[in-house]
């Protein structure tokens, strides 16, 4: 089936909304898949459709119905996608192949980009450095589902892998989580591990939808970045977040989401990396944080932790021209969406961040 440019473009930019594989939930499953797997996010891809068609989603700008986007056809159609091994003309079921990270990376490309950037900075994720692979944490229902339909991987129990699952007292060797250390106890169980241990998140910034529609090409139509970490609320805790900015016919769109990047440091952040940092001070003084700027044809990115406060973060929006990127003249604010059940920090939470904890 020939893919449309619209489908290709949407498939790329909407990867942000659900890093899992996507599917047309109305398609008839093969006989071998007439099981609970057909309700899994790997099969349905419901996360992408849900946030795209949400009342505040990107569809309100594009006006393109989801069922006209080819992204709905990109999904795990059968067990063979991950389990089919071969040797010569012989084919066989392979559990080994499913545990090979090379099986995961073609679709979970954002994590592949994370490993590339971190490797170049000699800051590779502590688990990857230890020789771990995706399936050491993601197995059973994370991959195959549990027979229950969910809107998104951010839905409760959409993904069951957690830091706490391994970092407990156990026979298997791993550093044990100690709730009594000051950095853990002082936050009163209101801070997710990722808020302190994720170094930064990869963002495929400024997805230029117009060019995707025209060329059907991904390369050069967005800018990959990994310089900051957003703090956002999810399931009652502050956690790491990410952002996706989009441009379509000079219309600007930004989506914020809880996001776990596999860029983990064994050592957590220092207190003043978050409390009373430069971003917090700018907001405290009535300003905005210029997370991404644009001067003399160059992107300027913020470094460090940024709290997600509604209307307090500035993002540059760019059009793709024959000579390169150019700022959009329209100064109207972007349409803003919170996806993945994430919400901005509250005024009370910001007040705590604004406290000087070094005294």
């Amino acid at each position: 089936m020939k893919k449309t440019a619209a489908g290709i473009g949407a498939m790329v930019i909407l990867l942000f909304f659900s890093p899992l594989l996507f599917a047309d939930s109305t398609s008839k499953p093969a006989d071998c898949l007439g099981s609970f797997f057909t309700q899994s996010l790997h099969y349905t891809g419901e996360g992408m459709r849900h946030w795209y068609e949400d009342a505040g989603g990107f569809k309100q700008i594009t006006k393109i119905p989801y069922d006209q986007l080819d992204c709905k056809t990109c999904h795990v159609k059968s067990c063979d996608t991950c389990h089919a091994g071969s040797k010569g003309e012989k084919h066989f079921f392979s559990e080994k192949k499913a545990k090979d990270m090379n099986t995961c990376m073609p679709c979970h490309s954002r994590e592949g980009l994370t490993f590339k950037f971190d490797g170049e900075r000699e800051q590779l994720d502590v688990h990857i450095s230890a020789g771990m692979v995706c399936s050491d944490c993601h197995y059973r229902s994370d991959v195959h589902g549990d027979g229950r339909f969910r809107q998104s991987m951010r839905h409760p129990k959409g993904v069951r892998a957690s830091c706490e699952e391994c970092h407990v007292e156990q026979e298997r060797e791993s550093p044990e989580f100690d709730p009594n250390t000051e950095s853990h106890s002082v936050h009163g169980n209101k801070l997710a591990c990722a808020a302190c241990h994720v170094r930064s998140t990869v963002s495929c910034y400024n997805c230029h939808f117009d060019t995707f529609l025209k060329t059907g090409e991904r390369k050069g139509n967005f800018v990959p970045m990994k310089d900051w970490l957003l703090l956002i609320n999810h399931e009652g805790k502050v956690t790491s977040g990410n952002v996706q900015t989009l441009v379509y016919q000079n219309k600007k769109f930004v989506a914020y989401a809880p996001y776990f990047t596999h860029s983990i440091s064994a050592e957590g952040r220092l207190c003043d990396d978050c409390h009373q940092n430069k971003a917090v001070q700018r907001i405290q003084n009535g300003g905005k944080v210029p997370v991404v700027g644009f001067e003399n044809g160059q992107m300027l990115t913020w470094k460090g932790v940024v709290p997600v406060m509604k209307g307090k973060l500035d993002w540059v929006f760019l059009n793709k021209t024959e000579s390169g990127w150019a700022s959009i003249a329209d100064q109207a604010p972007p349409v803003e969406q919170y996806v993945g059940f994430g919400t901005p920090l509250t005024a009370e939470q910001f007040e705590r961040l604004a406290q000087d904890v070094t005294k």
Side-chain angles (χ1 to χ4, degrees):
M1 181 182 295
K2 183 178 180 181
K3 294 191 176 184
T4 64
I8 295 172
M11 179 170 65
V12 174
I13 63 175
L14 292 170
L15 281 173
F16 172 71
F17 298 121
S18 178
L20 298 177
L21 298 176
F22 309 129
D24 179 359
S25 58
T26 63
S27 62
K28 184 178 179 180
D31 291 340
C32 65
L33 295 182
S35 69
F36 62 77
F37 176 69
T38 59
Q39 297 298 309
S40 72
L41 287 166
H42 261 132
Y43 187 88
T44 68
E46 177 63 11
M48 189 162 99
R49 187 209 64 78
H50 179 78
W51 300 117
Y52 176 76
E53 293 191 340
D54 184 69
F58 193 49
K59 180 185 173 184
Q60 68 176 301
I61 290 179
T62 68
K63 309 301 182 184
I64 302 174
Y66 180 79
D67 61 10
Q68 293 182 17
L69 304 177
D70 272 4
C71 43
K72 73 181 188 300
T73 67
C74 182
H75 63 119
V76 180
K77 298 180 180 179
S78 78
C79 306
D80 292 356
T81 304
C82 298
H83 285 287
S86 62
K87 187 174 183 180
E89 296 183 356
K90 181 181 179 181
H91 298 275
F92 54 89
F93 178 89
S94 173
E95 188 173 324
K96 181 179 179 181
K97 181 187 174 185
K99 293 181 177 180
D100 186 341
M101 286 181 63
N102 291 323
T103 301
C104 309
M105 290 301 102
C107 296
H108 295 275
S109 55
R110 192 182 296 268
E111 295 308 326
L113 191 58
T114 295
F115 301 149
K116 178 180 181 293
F117 282 173
D118 284 355
E120 292 171 349
R121 301 173 185 182
E122 297 185 351
Q123 293 181 336
L124 199 60
D125 175 275
V126 65
H127 304 100
I128 301 301
S129 296
M132 294 177 66
V133 297
C134 306
S135 60
D136 285 324
C137 294
H138 298 287
Y139 51 90
R140 296 177 184 170
S141 62
D142 273 12
V143 179
H144 302 117
D146 61 3
R148 300 177 185 179
F149 179 84
R150 291 188 172 85
Q151 295 171 325
S152 165
M153 66 179 294
R154 310 300 175 197
H155 189 278
K157 296 184 179 180
V159 173
R160 293 176 181 264
S162 68
C163 306
E164 294 86 349
E165 190 173 68
C166 286
H167 293 283
V168 295
E169 185 178 356
Q170 57 181 342
E171 292 181 5
R172 182 178 177 179
E173 184 179 344
S174 65
E176 183 180 347
F177 172 75
D178 182 359
N180 297 317
T181 61
E182 184 178 8
S183 57
H184 291 150
S185 61
V186 71
H187 294 105
N189 200 33
K190 295 180 179 180
L191 198 68
C193 305
C196 280
H197 288 276
V198 170
R199 288 191 180 93
S200 57
T201 53
V202 168
S203 176
C204 296
Y205 187 79
N206 199 85
C207 290
H208 197 251
F209 196 61
D210 305 72
T211 312
F212 281 122
L213 296 179
K214 183 179 179 180
T215 67
E217 296 291 332
R218 294 195 293 178
K219 187 176 181 180
N221 292 328
F222 62 87
V223 182
M225 296 180 176
K226 191 176 186 292
D227 291 313
W228 64 79
L229 180 97
L230 302 183
L231 294 180
I232 192 170
N233 281 313
H234 182 240
E235 293 188 337
K237 293 185 178 182
V238 176
T239 190
S240 58
N242 204 352
V243 68
Q244 182 83 52
T245 64
L246 313 163
V247 172
Y248 178 62
Q249 297 181 352
N250 289 320
K251 297 173 184 177
K252 300 175 287 188
F253 184 89
V254 58
Y256 298 97
Y259 194 85
F260 184 93
T261 296
H262 295 79
S263 183
I264 305 299
S265 169
E267 298 295 329
R269 287 188 173 79
L270 299 176
C271 300
D272 57 2
D273 285 339
C274 296
H275 292 273
Q276 268 290 300
N277 68 16
K278 291 182 179 179
V280 171
Q281 290 180 38
R282 288 185 75 104
I283 297 174
Q284 191 177 23
N285 293 329
K288 295 184 177 182
V289 181
V291 191
V292 179
F294 188 70
E295 292 183 11
N296 301 319
Q298 299 294 321
M299 297 278 196
L300 304 175
T301 59
W302 191 269
K303 306 294 190 295
V305 176
V306 180
V308 175
M309 300 293 293
K310 195 169 181 63
K312 293 298 184 180
L313 308 187
D314 264 348
W315 309 92
V316 68
F317 292 84
L318 307 171
N319 269 325
K320 188 70 180 295
T321 69
E322 292 183 0
S323 57
W325 295 105
S327 297
I328 294 177
D330 185 4
Q331 296 301 309
V335 174
E336 193 173 90
Q337 182 190 26
Y338 288 86
V339 304
F341 310 105
T343 59
L345 301 192
T346 65
E348 181 182 1
Q349 287 172 318
F350 181 77
E351 286 180 10
R352 292 173 182 168
L353 278 176
Q355 294 175 356
D356 185 352
V357 295
T358 61
K359 295 180 180 179

